[in-house]
């Protein structure tokens, strides 16, 4: 399956990287484990890769480049209780991502 990934430089320049995927997964942790086993190249969240990059277990191919920001939306029924876990989680995300 042909894939295109957009990457953005520190200066805001965007480039498309094209590749041919051989494996399809539904969990990012699977991509992480495949990368650790040298199965291929992938884009991983920094929190997953930073320790392995520091230890040399993973290599960064484009260290100054990153994925463009994405929008995050949360939707829940208006009839739900005001202080339910979903709302608390959304508030937590807003505080963490707002930094």
């Amino acid at each position: 399956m042909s894939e295109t990934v957009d990457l953005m430089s520190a200066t805001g320049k965007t480039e498309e990287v094209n590749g041919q995927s051989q494996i399809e997964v539904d969990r990012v942790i699977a991509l992480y484990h495949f990368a650790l086993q040298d199965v291929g190249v992938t884009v991983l969240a920094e929190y997953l890769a930073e320790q392995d990059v520091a230890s040399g277990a993973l290599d960064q191919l484009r260290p100054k480049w990153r994925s463009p920001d994405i929008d995050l939306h949360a939707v829940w029924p208006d009839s739900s209780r005001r202080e339910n876990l979903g709302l608390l989680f959304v508030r937590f995300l807003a505080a963490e991502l707002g930094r």
Side-chain angles (χ1 to χ4, degrees):
M1 179 158 85
S2 183
E3 299 274 336
T4 301
V5 175
D6 291 329
L7 294 178
M8 188 171 14
S9 73
T11 62
K13 180 182 175 187
T14 302
E15 282 192 22
E16 286 185 355
V17 178
N18 296 308
Q20 186 74 28
S21 62
Q22 301 294 317
I23 298 171
E24 190 172 322
V25 298
D26 62 354
R27 302 272 192 271
V28 73
I29 197 73
L31 292 174
Y32 166 74
H33 286 292
F34 282 131
L36 283 176
Q37 298 300 316
D38 290 331
V39 173
V41 176
T42 189
V43 176
L44 292 173
E46 190 174 335
Y47 76 91
L48 276 176
E50 63 188 346
Q51 287 183 325
D52 295 301
V53 169
S55 73
L58 288 176
D59 292 321
Q60 280 185 294
L61 299 179
R62 300 283 231 152
K64 303 286 186 204
W65 292 69
R66 64 179 181 79
S67 298
D69 294 337
I70 60 171
D71 292 331
L72 180 63
H73 302 273
V75 180
W76 61 92
D78 188 42
S79 61
S80 66
R81 294 180 300 152
R82 283 264 188 236
E83 294 298 321
N84 66 19
L85 290 177
L87 179 59
L88 294 175
F89 181 64
V90 168
R91 286 182 181 163
F92 167 78
L93 285 178
E96 288 296 309
L97 297 176
R99 290 195 254 157

